[in-house]
Amino acid sequence: MSAARVTRIAPTPSGYLHLGNAVNFALIALLASRWDAESVVRIDDMDSSRSRSEYVDDIFATLEWLEIEWAKGPRDRADFEREFTMAARIDYYRSQLDVLDASGLELFACACSRADLAAKGGLRCAGECRSAGLDLATDQTALRLHIPDGTTVEMSGQSIDLAAAHGDVVLWRRDGVPAYHLASVIEDRDLGITDIVRGADLLESSALHVWLAPHLGADDLARANFVHHALVMDDSGAKLSKSQLASGPLERTQKTRDDVRQRAAELADGLGY
C-alpha cells in the first residue's frame, strides 16, 4: 500500500491576497483532488512586523470563497492564534539549528548587513565572519549557511546552482527569528508533506529546501514532488504583488471565482496533471 500523499497551502499574512494567490490556492486544491492527497493549511507568520490580523482573516475568507476544504490546520483566525501560529515556536526552531550543525554543514554568525553584501556585489559574507567565531546575538548577528561553490540541485528539469542563487544564505535572522528557508523545511518535515505546488519564482527556494532537507532529518521532503507553475501577471506583464492591494482584499465575486478556477484548471492541464 502506497504512503498517503499530503500537500499544503502555505500563505504568508503580509498583505491581502491577490489573484495569483487565489489561483495558487485553487490549483493546489485541484491537484490534491486528482492525486487523492490530503490538504493542510499552514500560515507562515514568522515575520511579525508584516503580519496583520486582517490579512489572516483574508486568507480564511478566500479559502471559504473558493470552497476549498482541508484536513489539517487552523479553521479560523482564533484557532490559528491559539494553536497554529509559527511565531510561538521560536525556541523549537532554534533547537533545530543543533541538528543542522551536527550534520556537518558550515554555519557561522555574521555581522554583515545587506548593504555590506550589496557593496561587495554578491551574496557571500562581505567580511571575515566565517573565521571570526562570532556569537549569534539578536540585533548584532545573523546565522548564515555557507553553500560550497559548485553545489547544484536538479529541479523541474533545471540544474540550479545553489551557491550562485543563495550565496551564504541566512537561516536565522538578525532580529532573532528563523528565516523562511529554515522554518519552511522544518514545517514541511513535521507535516509529512509529499507534494508542494508553488509559483515558478520559487524554483531556487525549492532547490535549496531539497538540499537542506536531509540535513534536518527530512529525507522524505528531499524526495517530494515539487510542481512549479506559471505566475499570474498583471496587464503590463509584471508579477502581481500583495502591496498592490493595500486598500483592501481581492473582489470575491462569482465571476472572479470562475476565472480563478478556469486559470487553475488550465495550469493543471498544462502541467500534465
Side-chain angles (χ1 to χ4, degrees):
M1 183 177 180
S2 61
R5 298 177 73 167
V6 184
T7 190
R8 57 20 169 217
I9 297 172
T12 58
S14 58
Y16 290 111
L17 299 176
H18 54 62
L19 182 64
N21 299 132
V23 171
N24 174 258
F25 284 15
L27 177 61
I28 293 171
L30 177 59
L31 293 181
S33 67
R34 294 183 179 181
W35 293 333
D36 194 24
E38 182 179 82
S39 293
V40 175
V41 167
R42 184 189 92 202
I43 298 177
D44 293 347
D45 67 327
M46 290 307 311
D47 191 345
S48 59
S49 67
R50 300 174 65 197
S51 179
R52 299 284 187 275
S53 59
E54 58 266 34
Y55 301 153
V56 177
D57 287 335
D58 182 55
I59 291 169
F60 290 108
T62 301
L63 290 167
E64 181 180 359
W65 169 62
L66 292 173
E67 300 175 324
I68 292 175
E69 298 181 356
W70 62 99
K72 295 181 180 178
R75 312 318 298 183
D76 54 30
R77 177 161 58 90
D79 189 29
F80 165 70
E81 292 174 346
R82 183 173 57 249
E83 300 288 345
F84 293 93
T85 172
M86 292 169 64
R89 297 198 287 278
I90 299 293
D91 290 343
Y92 173 61
Y93 298 128
R94 182 70 180 257
S95 73
Q96 299 304 292
L97 294 178
D98 293 334
V99 178
L100 272 183
D101 192 40
S103 75
L105 293 179
E106 183 184 350
L107 305 175
F108 64 95
C110 178
C112 298
S113 66
R114 291 183 180 180
D116 293 332
L117 269 66
K120 293 290 185 177
L123 298 172
R124 293 295 196 191
C125 170
E128 303 299 326
C129 302
R130 283 179 63 195
S131 59
L134 302 175
D135 292 328
L136 180 59
T138 302
D139 296 328
Q140 298 180 39
T141 58
L143 187 73
R144 293 185 180 274
L145 165 63
H146 177 74
I147 302 175
D149 289 335
T151 302
T152 60
V153 171
E154 299 301 315
M155 176 67 60
S156 296
Q158 299 184 45
S159 182
I160 308 300
D161 184 335
L162 292 186
H166 297 284
D168 294 327
V169 65
V170 172
L171 295 184
W172 198 268
R173 295 174 7 178
R174 188 186 294 261
D175 58 0
V177 300
Y180 165 74
H181 297 302
L182 177 67
S184 184
V185 172
I186 292 170
E187 289 295 322
D188 284 338
R189 177 197 67 188
D190 293 354
L191 291 168
I193 301 300
T194 63
D195 296 87
I196 295 176
V197 182
R198 57 194 350 184
D201 58 326
L202 293 175
L203 181 66
E204 292 177 346
S205 291
S206 296
L208 175 62
H209 296 180
V210 165
W211 186 69
L212 271 180
H215 299 283
L216 282 163
D219 292 333
D220 288 344
L221 180 62
R223 296 187 292 267
N225 174 39
F226 282 81
V227 176
H228 297 91
H229 62 82
L231 303 180
V232 176
M233 302 297 186
D234 65 16
D235 293 338
S236 68
K239 176 184 172 182
L240 294 174
S241 168
K242 289 178 181 176
S243 63
Q244 296 169 329
L245 295 172
S247 60
L250 180 70
E251 185 178 19
R252 291 189 279 266
T253 64
Q254 179 66 51
K255 181 180 179 181
T256 303
R257 180 167 59 192
D258 290 344
D259 178 45
V260 166
R261 288 173 172 169
Q262 179 63 31
R263 288 172 183 259
E266 291 173 355
L267 284 173
D269 292 342
L271 290 164
Y273 292 107

